[in-house]
Amino acid sequence: MTEQPVRITLARGEDRRIKGGHPWVFSNEIREIRGEKSAGATAEIYDAGGGFLGTGYYNPHSLIAARLLSRERTDIDTAAFFRERIGRAAELRHRLYPELATFRVVHGEGDFLPGLVVDRFGDWLSVQILTAGMERRREAIVAALVELFAPRGIIARNDVAVRGLEGLDERIEVLHGEIPETVEAVEHGLRFRVDLAGGQKTGHFLDQKENHLVLKGMAAGKRVLDCFCYSGSWGVHAASFGAAEVTCVDISERAAALARENAALNGVENLVRVEVCDAFERLRSLRHEGRRFDVVVLDPPAFVKSRKALKEAEKGYLTINRRGMELLEEGGYLITCSCSYHLGREPFRELLAQAARQAGRPMRLVEGRSQAPDHPVLLSVPETEYLKCFVLQAV
């Protein structure tokens, strides 16, 4: 090891989740800590009987006090470790998407790299380093990414509140090379401008790319409403699949400008109208105007940032889905999503049933979907699955 690891011993009976495959150790599960108690320090985890459980990193300032990276005694402080682990993750993506150069390379715990997210946009990488343990190993991570992908630029989108829980600041910085004003992503033959430095999250929502294909056939010749449209992925897909007209709504002028640019980039600017307004209010006013749509897409940002905020967030989801259902023509489709982990799949489905009752619209469940497979879900780590996408039909 390049440093003497912290030795963490769990309290009796607190090892069941870890032995079941979950990588998190909470502070109240620890009986004893020996060694340097610094943020991000390498740690070896043991059960109450002294049995070795794995190697990870420790943070005395976080409720999640330790995260495992390996079930073996491994040197996690080298570029070689990250090169092997990230390389394995990239190999999976190349098998899933042999023709694509845009995909999520690393999905945190889903790729056994808790605290790290890496998205690839051709020659550029956008990363999020979310924990003190990964921040401490940033140089090794960047070295591994440069060796594996030879990118022209790497940007860290570390402007996320979760870093505060780890005692880290929020910032955006270029870690390697240069980052242009926009780069380009290709999805199902469509081109999208991506604002790596100023866009949401890592710049583009790669988790919905499989779900966009639901619109094929459904949108042909139809009127489509895309609320919370961001850079227009749903709307541009709908137009490319033959929609008669598409209305996109987002509260951000910057996002709306990007959506207009993406519509023009794909030759569908005459079909796509982008409005800058609050989606909650626009859903209400469209009904008052007597407008109706054949397809309504609701893909809002996460309303639930913590379990404490769940009840208030549920009201928001209930409101937009009720209003979306009220705008549907008979036989029309609602594609509704939640990326809030704390709102589970079944509670979201129950909420949609409640929205249907309030709207007075019988709704048929066509299918339930999740995130794209380059955002892998581990059965032992339910937190790796966060995206819910339901397709409903007004009957």
Side-chain angles (χ1 to χ4, degrees):
M1 294 284 183
T2 55
E3 64 175 19
Q4 189 65 29
V6 176
R7 182 185 174 103
I8 296 176
T9 303
L10 302 184
R12 191 170 301 280
E14 298 291 356
D15 57 7
R16 183 176 301 174
R17 189 182 64 259
I18 302 299
K19 288 181 177 178
H22 204 289
W24 295 356
V25 176
F26 289 92
S27 57
N28 61 357
E29 298 171 336
I30 297 173
R31 187 186 74 194
E32 182 182 50
I33 304 173
R34 294 183 184 177
E36 180 193 358
K37 299 180 179 66
S38 60
T42 300
E44 290 186 347
I45 318 298
Y46 296 83
D47 64 22
F52 178 78
L53 296 176
T55 305
Y57 54 76
Y58 170 69
N59 187 353
H61 309 301
S62 174
L63 177 62
I64 305 175
R67 290 173 167 88
L68 272 68
L69 273 71
S70 175
R71 301 287 162 163
E72 302 175 350
R73 287 184 171 86
T74 306
D75 189 347
I76 64 171
D77 293 291
T78 67
F81 169 80
F82 287 99
R83 184 172 60 249
E84 188 278 333
R85 187 62 60 83
I86 296 172
R88 192 189 313 168
E91 183 181 351
L92 169 63
R93 276 62 175 188
H94 291 311
R95 289 199 303 269
L96 290 170
Y97 305 110
E99 305 299 324
L100 287 186
T102 298
F103 47 79
R104 173 151 293 184
V105 179
V106 175
H107 183 54
E109 284 80 354
D111 289 296
F112 308 100
L113 286 168
L116 179 64
V117 172
V118 181
D119 283 347
R120 182 185 180 189
F121 299 95
D123 291 330
W124 288 271
L125 301 176
S126 181
V127 308
Q128 288 184 319
I129 299 172
L130 304 174
T131 60
M134 287 304 185
E135 182 69 37
R136 188 157 170 165
R137 293 158 182 84
R138 182 171 64 166
E139 288 186 11
I141 292 168
V142 172
L145 291 172
V146 170
E147 184 173 345
L148 285 167
F149 299 103
R152 295 169 64 182
I154 302 175
I155 188 170
R157 289 299 308 268
N158 292 335
D159 52 331
V160 285
V162 69
R163 280 173 57 94
L165 302 177
E166 290 278 314
L168 302 172
D169 62 347
E170 298 179 31
R171 62 182 184 271
I172 301 171
E173 58 184 321
V174 176
L175 303 181
H176 171 79
E178 296 182 352
I179 299 297
E181 185 175 345
T182 60
V183 300
E184 191 170 291
V186 178
E187 185 179 316
H188 309 126
L190 300 174
R191 299 159 60 197
F192 294 93
R193 296 289 187 195
V194 179
D195 183 355
L196 292 181
Q200 297 179 23
K201 300 288 186 178
T202 60
H204 189 73
F205 293 103
L206 301 174
D207 50 3
Q208 291 280 24
K209 58 180 168 290
E210 305 296 335
N211 295 333
H212 291 150
L213 293 175
V214 169
L215 289 165
K216 197 168 187 176
M218 182 186 295
K222 304 299 184 180
R223 291 163 295 172
V224 178
L225 173 65
D226 175 12
C227 287
F228 310 96
C229 72
Y230 181 43
S231 59
S233 293
W234 286 100
V236 171
H237 274 87
S240 73
F241 292 148
E245 61 178 64
V246 179
T247 301
C248 292
V249 175
D250 201 281
I251 198 170
S252 165
E253 177 58 61
R254 186 169 188 166
L258 201 55
R260 293 188 189 101
E261 185 176 352
N262 286 330
L265 192 63
N266 292 281
V268 294
E269 65 271 27
N270 293 333
L271 299 174
V272 178
R273 177 186 178 187
V274 183
E275 301 180 2
V276 181
C277 52
D278 181 272
F280 279 84
E281 293 305 316
R282 191 58 178 135
L283 284 165
R284 185 208 304 270
S285 64
L286 284 167
R287 185 187 180 198
H288 292 326
E289 293 170 13
R291 297 278 298 278
R292 292 292 182 269
F293 297 88
D294 304 294
V295 180
V296 174
V297 178
L298 301 175
D299 187 11
F303 292 161
V304 190
K305 301 298 184 181
S306 67
R307 196 172 297 278
K308 293 179 181 179
L310 181 58
K311 288 298 181 185
E312 190 63 30
E314 286 177 340
K315 295 178 183 178
Y317 283 113
L318 184 63
T319 297
I320 62 171
N321 281 283
R322 172 178 55 79
R323 291 177 180 172
M325 292 172 184
E326 290 171 346
L327 293 175
L328 285 174
E329 294 281 13
E330 185 175 348
Y333 292 92
L334 174 68
I335 301 172
T336 182
C337 308
S338 168
C339 60
S340 300
Y341 165 73
H342 293 290
L343 178 61
R345 181 167 295 273
E346 193 55 35
F348 186 39
R349 178 173 165 167
E350 293 172 0
L351 184 150
L352 294 174
Q354 183 181 353
R357 289 193 296 270
Q358 291 184 1
R361 299 297 302 270
M363 302 294 295
R364 173 188 292 141
L365 175 61
V366 178
E367 63 175 318
R369 303 175 67 89
S370 185
Q371 62 229 42
D374 56 350
H375 296 59
V377 175
L378 293 185
L379 294 180
S380 58
V381 189
E383 293 84 357
T384 54
E385 183 175 21
Y386 62 94
L387 182 62
K388 285 77 61 178
C389 177
F390 285 106
V391 182
L392 308 175
Q393 184 183 33
V395 293

